[in-house]
Amino acid sequence: MQRMQNLDAHRAKQILIAQVVATLAVTLLGLPFGLRPALFALIGGATATIANALFAYWVFGGYRADQPGRLLAQIYGGEVLKLTLIAAVFLGAIIWLKPVSPLALFGGFLVVQVFPPLLANRIAG
């Protein structure tokens, strides 16, 4: 059981590192379009990374494979926490940072949210 727990935590850590790198990449890709799009790409990417880090900590912080009911509750609770954080950051960015660059904000989020987990097996290999 311990080996599986360590493998899952290791894979989560590797994905989070890849998300940090992807956040920096989308920010740099936004720079040729101006500081504002780069800032919104950074906010979008950082939101995905921080929300996933919070989720991983919530789930793997007290992870016990021999308690599947507790693990399921941790996953659901972590997902609610993650979605709440994402909604709060997006709402704050939209309300307080005018003019909004929605393509950079949501594009940065989407790239960072989707690509590192798609590569998870290669990353954690």
Side-chain angles (χ1 to χ4, degrees):
M1 294 281 181
Q2 185 68 21
R3 185 180 184 312
M4 184 63 158
Q5 179 180 348
N6 289 340
L7 179 63
D8 291 341
H10 176 71
R11 181 166 287 155
K13 187 182 290 185
Q14 293 300 315
I15 290 171
L16 289 171
I17 290 168
Q19 287 183 314
V20 168
V21 171
T23 298
L24 295 174
V26 297
T27 303
L28 291 174
L29 287 172
L31 276 175
F33 300 98
L35 288 178
R36 195 136 200 99
L39 172 66
F40 276 94
L42 174 65
I43 292 169
T47 300
T49 302
I50 293 167
N52 286 318
L54 183 62
F55 175 82
Y57 179 77
W58 187 271
V59 172
F60 295 113
Y63 177 66
R64 297 214 19 157
D66 61 343
Q67 297 176 339
R70 181 172 175 231
L71 179 60
L72 184 61
Q74 284 177 266
I75 290 171
Y76 282 130
E79 196 63 35
V80 167
L81 190 61
K82 178 176 133 177
L83 292 173
T84 302
L85 175 67
I86 292 167
V89 171
F90 282 171
L91 185 62
I94 290 168
I95 290 172
W96 291 304
L97 298 176
K98 302 283 183 181
V100 176
S101 184
L103 182 60
L105 178 66
F106 297 117
F109 176 83
L110 185 67
V111 167
V112 173
Q113 181 68 26
V114 172
F115 285 116
L118 283 177
L119 303 172
N121 286 331
R122 289 185 187 197
I123 293 169

